Amino acid sequence: MREIMNKIIIVESPSKSKTIESYMGGEYKVLSSKGHVRDLAISGVGGLGIDVNHNFKPNYINIPEKKALIEQIKKECAGKEVYIATDPDREGEAIGWHLAVILGLDMDELNRIEFNEITKPAILEAFNHPRKIDKNLVSSQETRRIIDRIIGFKLSTLLQNKIKSKSA
């Protein structure tokens, strides 16, 4: 009879998940988010998904194409110890934060694992140094995404009107 794994690691890439799972000796199940799971809505003023009247507060929605994947991740993680091991950059940190929000994880827990190479020693060493999700890094990505949305939507509209371009 197969043992039920009570520990989950979530990475971005499906190709990484099998390798990492093999390093963990059957103690962990490794899932993949396949990249971003939430994005800015296209609602509100100008379809920006940003409340420009309240400190540019973003309005996030789950990416519709990821609905089944999100439900599967939520089901697999229910009642389990979850570690976020998305990429060690601002995009990965934001993906990890979005996953933590979706899963209702405690942002004060040391549940973020970071490694720079997919080798057994690097993965095992990362578990010796778990940390909190870095909200400053998340804010950096969030700011970049908001600026992209504002400039992209506004500039695209201008270019469509002036030179019949489809988008900026």
Side-chain angles (χ1 to χ4, degrees):
M1 187 161 137
R2 190 160 190 247
E3 179 185 332
I4 297 173
M5 291 179 246
N6 288 320
K7 297 178 183 178
I8 303 284
I9 302 169
I10 304 175
V11 298
E12 289 177 54
S13 167
S15 61
K16 291 178 185 175
S17 53
K18 293 279 186 228
T19 304
I20 294 169
E21 196 168 279
S22 74
Y23 295 156
M24 302 311 290
E27 196 177 342
Y28 293 81
K29 181 166 190 170
V30 183
L31 305 175
S32 168
S33 70
K34 300 178 182 174
H36 287 275
V37 291
R38 296 197 317 163
D39 196 7
L40 293 172
I42 51 171
S43 58
V45 177
L48 296 174
I50 303 159
D51 188 343
V52 296
N53 297 317
H54 295 96
N55 290 329
F56 294 85
K57 184 177 187 286
N59 176 23
Y60 290 108
I61 60 164
N62 292 350
I63 297 172
E65 297 80 15
K66 297 278 183 101
K67 181 180 180 182
L69 177 65
I70 290 168
E71 290 306 313
Q72 175 196 357
I73 290 172
K74 286 168 72 172
K75 182 179 174 185
E76 297 252 15
C77 291
K80 304 217 172 113
E81 191 176 326
V82 178
Y83 292 92
I84 304 293
T86 49
D87 291 351
D89 55 23
R90 70 179 177 201
E91 291 294 321
E93 201 73 17
I95 292 168
W97 176 74
H98 285 292
L99 286 163
V101 169
I102 286 171
L103 296 170
L105 300 181
D106 183 346
M107 296 297 176
D108 288 325
E109 280 193 30
L110 303 177
N111 55 13
R112 175 76 166 102
I113 303 300
E114 183 178 326
F115 44 83
N116 292 302
E117 57 185 56
I118 310 299
T119 63
K120 188 172 184 175
I123 305 297
L124 296 177
E125 179 62 21
F127 274 88
N128 291 327
H129 308 285
R131 62 173 175 82
K132 297 177 188 178
I133 290 175
D134 183 342
K135 191 59 171 113
N136 289 329
L137 202 51
V138 172
S139 294
S140 170
Q141 188 279 340
E142 188 171 62
T143 301
R144 186 207 51 82
R145 182 68 185 103
I146 289 169
I147 291 169
D148 284 353
R149 175 61 64 90
I150 292 169
I151 292 173
F153 273 35
K154 297 298 182 185
L155 186 56
S156 290
T157 302
L158 176 68
L159 291 175
Q160 287 168 3
N161 291 336
K162 297 295 181 189
I163 63 171
K164 309 298 181 221
S165 173
K166 289 189 181 208
S167 74

